[in-house]
Amino acid sequence: MEEFPCEVIRNFSIIAHIDHGKSTLADRLLELTGTIETKSTGLNQQVLDKLKVERERGITGGPSIVMDLLRFAAQSVFQNDLLTKLSMIHMAHGKQHLLNLIDTPGHVDFAWEVSRSLAACQGALLLVDASQGVQAQSISVFHIAKERGLKIIPVLTKIDLPASQPERMAAQLQSTFGIDPSEILHISAKTGQGVEAVLRAIVDRIPPPSGNINSPLKAFMFDSLYDRYRGVISLVSIQDGIIQKGDKIASCHTRKKYEITEVGVMHPEEVPTSSLQPGQVGYIACNMKESSEAHIGDTFHRVGALVDPMPGFQPSKAMVYAGVFPVDSNDFIKLEESIKRARFHIRFSLTLTDRSVTIQRESSTALGQGCRLGFLGTLHMDVFRQRLEDEYDANIIITAPTVPYKIIYKDKTVMISNPTEFPDTSDTSCRVKQVQEPVVNASIIVPEEYMGEMMNLCFAHRAENLDHRYLDSGSTSEASARAILTCTLPLSEIVTDFFDQLKSRSSGYASFDYEDGGYKASDLAKMVFLLNGKPVDALALIVHRSAQHEVGKKWVKKLHKVIPRQLFEVPIQAAVGKKIIARETLSAMRADVTAGLYGGHYERKMKHLENQKESKRKMKRIGSVDLPQDAFFDILSTKSN
C-alpha cells in the first residue's frame, strides 16, 4: 500500500437508476483491471449483486444495504457483503493507480446510505441507459453527489441496443443536469465497448483525495458490520496519517480504545495489507465486541494524539412503521430474540444491527405479542419482508404500514406511529391543537401521453403544488417526449398502493422518486373497526377525513369476506370517533330447529323459533367473534390496503 500515495488514488461511486447497468459496468471495470478473471462465457457475473433480493430488485448494496440493512447473520453472507467495496489497480500514464469503487444504492429510501458512501468518494459516474434516458431516482442521487462537491462523469450505456438514442439522451442530460454533451462517454457495458474510456476518465477527471502521511492519524468510519469471530469490522477512509496492525487507536465519539488486529482492502475479497495510507479506503478489525460501539461518522485517532473529529452524519429517521407478529403466537420469543441477536445464525434470524431499523415490542388483543419495526421507506420494508419469507421461511403477519404523525397538544408535542395511540381529535378533553403528517417532494418522469393519468393519480392522493416540465424540449418526435412532474404528497398516501397504480396507469414507463418534505398540518382521524361492538386494535387506521367514508366501506367489505360466520349475527362497523361511517352485517349460521317436529299445533313450532331467537340475542350480548389468524393474514397481505 506504500506504493499508492494520494496522487494515484481515485475513490469513486456509480450513480444509476435500477436496471441501468451499474453491476454490468462494475464487472467490466473489474475485468479490465485484472481484478477478476475474464470469462469467454457468462460475462455478466454481477459481482456486486450477490443476494437473491438484489438480483430480483436491482438493488446493489451500498455500505448498509447489504451488510446491515438487508444482511442476515449467516457467515457465508458476510463474505459476499464485502464485495461492495472494491479496490482495483490500473496502469495509467506510466503509473499504477488504485481505484476504489464504493458502491451506492439508487433509491431515495436509502439517502442516508448514499450519503455515507459518497462521503468517502471524490467523484461519481452518472450512468444513464441510452434507451430509457434520465430517471427520477438518478436525479435525487445526483443532487446528493453535487451537494458533496463530487466530480460527475456522465456515461451513456447500452448504446448497442437497437432502441438506443444517444443524441437525444445527451440532450436530456444537458437540460436536466446542465452537463456539456462533449463530456458524455458512450459505452456498452455488456460488450465492453468504450469501457476503457471510462477508466481513463476516472483517472483524468476525478481529483485524488487529500491527506498527509506525516500528520496524526485521522480515519473516518463510514460503515461497519459484524463478524462472529473478529467482532465489528469497520470500513474506514484514511484522511491523514497511517494505520497498521498493532496500532492502538481510540474513538472520538465513545473515547474507547482498541488495538488493530488486521487491516486490509477488498480486491475483490478481503486482502490483508501491512497498512492503510492517506486517501485509501479499507477495513480494520480491532476487537470491537459490540455493534453499538460502532458509530457511523466516527473518527478514529491514535491513542495519545487527539485530532478534531470529522463532521458526521445526521442519524437516520424511520419513516414507515409496521407491526410484525408471528402467525403462531408461541413463536414470539424466538422471533424477538432472533431480531435482537443478529450475530447468531438461527432460524428466523435477521440482522438488525442496522441503525436504520427501529424496534419496539408491542401487543395486540387480536394478534398477541409482536414487534413494531420502523423502516426508512416502503422499499426498505418490502425488501426486509421478502428476505424473511424467501430465505428464512418466516411465517409472520405484517400490519398495514403507517407513518409517524406529530400531535401538537397545548403543552407538548408527541410523535405517534402506532394508530392505536392516536388521540380522538373530536374530543375536546384531549387538548389537541393540531395534527401534522409527513409530506414528501415527489418527482415522476413519464412519457407525455401518460401525463393526464399521472396528474389524476396525484390529485387522487391529495397532491399539492403540482408542476411539470418537458425533458425533451428539442425532440422532433412529440409522441416520445417525456416530462418530469413534481408535486407535494403526503407520505401516508404512497406507502400502500401508489407505486403499483403508477406503474399500471403508465404501462410501466413511469419512474418515481421522492425526498423528505417535512411536516404539514392535516385533518386526520383514527378509524377503528368494531366486531359485534368490540374494537379490533390491530386493524386501526389513521385516515384523512376526506377519504374516511371510502376507506371505511372498502375495509368493512373486506372484513365481511374473510370473517367466518358465527352462531349469531355480527355487525362489522367502521367508526371515526363516536360516529359509525360504514357497516356490513355478517348473517348468523342458522339451524332448522323445527325440522324434527311433525304434526302438532302451529304454536309449538313458533315456541321453538322464539327460543332460538332469544338464544341468539343472548349470544350476541355476551359472545365474542372468532377472528382467526388466517383472516388477519388475508386482510393485511392484500395490496389493496
Side-chain angles (χ1 to χ4, degrees):
M1 301 306 293
E2 293 82 355
E3 300 176 5
F4 300 103
C6 285
E7 55 266 22
V8 296
I9 298 175
R10 302 293 185 270
N11 299 319
F12 71 100
S13 182
I14 303 177
I15 298 171
H17 184 76
I18 292 173
D19 200 32
H20 275 214
K22 177 198 294 188
S23 297
T24 308
L25 175 59
D27 290 339
R28 300 295 83 76
L29 294 176
L30 293 169
E31 291 173 355
L32 285 175
T33 56
T35 308
I36 61 175
E37 180 182 355
T38 303
K39 297 182 179 179
S40 57
T41 59
L43 289 177
N44 194 5
Q45 300 176 64
Q46 301 290 298
V47 171
L48 293 180
D49 294 344
K50 289 293 181 179
L51 300 179
K52 177 175 180 280
V53 68
E54 293 180 284
R55 293 179 183 271
E56 290 180 352
R57 295 177 176 268
I59 311 169
T60 302
S64 224
I65 296 303
V66 178
M67 287 185 288
D68 290 328
L69 197 75
L70 306 179
R71 184 177 62 86
F72 289 63
Q75 177 67 14
S76 59
V77 176
F78 168 77
Q79 295 296 335
N80 294 334
D81 297 338
L82 294 178
L83 296 179
T84 55
K85 283 83 193 156
L86 297 168
S87 296
M88 299 169 277
I89 298 175
H90 177 60
M91 180 66 71
H93 308 301
K95 297 179 181 178
Q96 283 192 330
H97 287 69
L98 180 64
L99 312 182
N100 294 316
L101 169 57
I102 304 169
D103 202 32
T104 65
H107 195 277
V108 71
D109 278 6
F110 309 116
W112 191 60
E113 323 299 330
V114 173
S115 180
R116 289 161 53 183
S117 288
L118 298 182
C121 299
Q122 285 76 47
L125 304 179
L126 175 61
L127 194 64
V128 175
D129 189 326
S131 62
Q132 297 184 38
V134 176
Q135 301 293 327
Q137 292 172 12
S138 299
I139 295 176
S140 62
V141 182
F142 173 84
H143 290 318
I144 295 175
K146 290 297 289 184
E147 288 174 2
R148 288 198 163 270
L150 271 63
K151 173 64 179 178
I152 305 296
I153 301 176
V155 180
L156 281 175
T157 187
K158 302 187 182 183
I159 61 171
D160 58 310
L161 296 180
S164 67
Q165 298 175 294
E167 292 79 14
R168 179 185 166 201
M169 301 313 168
Q172 280 188 11
L173 288 172
Q174 184 178 23
S175 63
T176 306
F177 303 116
I179 291 173
D180 186 347
S182 63
E183 296 182 357
I184 301 174
L185 303 178
H186 295 221
I187 71 166
S188 169
K190 182 178 180 180
T191 65
Q193 177 186 349
V195 177
E196 290 187 359
V198 175
L199 282 173
R200 289 195 297 270
I202 291 171
V203 173
D204 296 339
R205 300 191 198 178
I206 295 178
S210 59
N212 188 344
I213 196 171
N214 298 316
S215 297
L217 171 66
K218 183 185 288 188
F220 178 71
M221 183 175 70
F222 62 92
D223 196 18
S224 69
L225 57 142
Y226 191 90
D227 175 52
R228 69 174 72 182
Y229 301 112
R230 296 177 295 173
V232 177
I233 307 297
S234 300
L235 295 173
V236 296
S237 172
I238 308 301
Q239 306 297 311
D240 290 307
I242 183 173
I243 191 170
Q244 53 193 353
K245 183 177 179 180
D247 284 351
K248 291 181 171 57
I249 62 171
S251 161
C252 286
H253 184 83
T254 64
R255 302 297 181 186
K256 291 188 176 182
K257 300 176 182 179
Y258 308 95
E259 182 176 349
I260 302 294
T261 58
E262 184 181 337
V263 298
V265 295
M266 276 62 78
H267 184 65
E269 299 185 20
E270 285 183 87
V271 177
T273 63
S274 59
S275 64
L276 289 176
Q277 310 281 326
Q280 296 175 0
V281 175
Y283 70 89
I284 61 171
C286 58
N287 286 324
M288 187 182 292
K289 299 300 183 183
E290 298 293 335
S291 296
S292 59
E293 298 177 29
H295 293 265
I296 302 306
D298 196 0
T299 303
F300 290 123
H301 61 88
R302 191 165 277 108
V303 173
L306 294 175
V307 296
D308 294 329
M310 297 188 62
F313 298 99
Q314 292 292 330
S316 63
K317 296 185 298 182
M319 295 305 294
V320 176
Y321 292 82
V324 178
F325 298 86
V327 171
D328 184 353
S329 58
N330 294 326
D331 290 337
F332 169 71
I333 299 299
K334 182 191 296 184
L335 178 63
E336 185 182 44
E337 288 184 358
S338 60
I339 289 175
K340 293 182 178 179
R341 297 176 57 195
R343 68 190 69 172
F344 298 105
H345 181 46
I346 56 178
R347 194 164 183 258
F348 301 134
S349 65
L350 51 147
T351 294
L352 286 182
T353 54
D354 173 23
R355 292 147 294 273
S356 305
V357 177
T358 63
I359 177 174
Q360 182 180 3
R361 178 185 286 192
E362 74 171 353
S363 62
S364 164
T365 55
L367 296 175
Q369 286 188 307
C371 297
R372 190 158 195 86
L373 304 182
F375 302 95
L376 294 173
T378 53
L379 178 66
H380 185 181
M381 181 185 70
D382 201 30
V383 172
F384 196 92
R385 175 200 54 78
Q386 182 180 336
R387 291 210 64 197
L388 275 175
E389 295 175 352
D390 290 353
E391 301 182 23
Y392 293 87
D393 293 328
N395 199 10
I396 59 174
I397 295 173
I398 299 182
T399 63
T402 62
V403 299
Y405 296 94
K406 189 180 293 185
I407 313 298
I408 302 176
Y409 293 91
K410 293 183 179 181
D411 56 347
K412 61 181 178 179
T413 299
V414 178
M415 300 296 294
I416 289 177
S417 62
N418 193 332
T420 59
E421 301 173 358
F422 197 87
D424 183 1
T425 54
S426 61
D427 186 356
T428 56
S429 63
C430 289
R431 303 170 62 86
V432 176
K433 289 180 60 179
Q434 191 180 69
V435 177
Q436 296 183 355
E437 65 177 335
V439 296
V440 296
N441 299 318
S443 301
I444 301 173
I445 295 181
V446 66
E448 183 184 28
E449 56 265 34
Y450 298 104
M451 275 291 291
E453 285 287 344
M454 292 300 100
M455 287 186 174
N456 290 337
L457 177 65
C458 291
F459 283 129
H461 287 78
R462 299 194 282 131
E464 296 180 352
N465 305 322
L466 200 65
D467 193 13
H468 72 279
R469 63 182 175 85
Y470 288 94
L471 297 176
D472 305 283
S473 56
S475 175
T476 57
S477 175
E478 294 184 2
S480 60
R482 294 194 309 154
I484 178 170
L485 186 150
T486 59
C487 62
T488 301
L489 282 168
L491 181 60
S492 60
E493 293 287 341
I494 63 175
V495 299
T496 51
D497 63 342
F498 181 86
F499 189 75
D500 290 338
Q501 289 191 38
L502 178 128
K503 287 297 182 183
S504 176
R505 295 194 185 194
S506 67
S507 301
Y509 288 109
S511 64
F512 173 70
D513 205 6
Y514 62 89
E515 60 184 15
D516 185 16
Y519 278 79
K520 184 177 180 180
S522 185
D523 188 12
L524 301 170
K526 178 171 72 172
M527 179 181 294
V528 297
F529 295 93
L530 309 174
L531 300 183
N532 198 26
K534 298 177 182 179
V536 183
D537 56 352
L539 296 179
L541 299 174
I542 299 174
V543 298
H544 194 267
R545 290 189 183 274
S546 63
Q548 64 184 21
H549 290 89
E550 179 184 351
V551 173
K553 289 178 181 178
K554 181 175 71 174
W555 274 76
V556 295
K557 287 182 178 179
K558 191 186 300 184
L559 286 166
H560 185 268
K561 290 180 180 179
V562 301
I563 295 175
R565 292 174 67 188
Q566 310 293 309
L567 293 174
F568 52 92
E569 184 183 88
V570 177
I572 304 171
Q573 300 167 307
V576 173
K578 297 180 180 179
K579 182 179 180 182
I580 303 298
I581 60 172
R583 171 175 173 144
E584 291 281 339
T585 302
L586 188 67
S587 59
M589 290 190 293
R590 181 163 183 166
D592 188 357
V593 294
T594 63
L597 300 179
Y598 57 92
H601 201 272
Y602 171 75
E603 280 79 5
R604 188 179 176 196
K605 290 186 179 181
M606 292 303 299
K607 181 178 179 181
H608 280 271
L609 292 174
E610 286 296 332
N611 288 339
Q612 182 189 45
K613 190 182 298 184
E614 179 60 31
S615 297
K616 288 186 179 295
R617 279 197 292 265
K618 183 176 180 181
M619 281 192 292
K620 187 174 181 179
R621 288 196 304 270
I622 66 175
S624 60
V625 179
D626 178 22
L627 192 60
Q629 300 283 48
D630 291 344
F632 274 101
F633 189 81
D634 291 340
I635 295 168
L636 299 173
S637 63
T638 56
K639 289 188 176 182
S640 60
N641 287 350

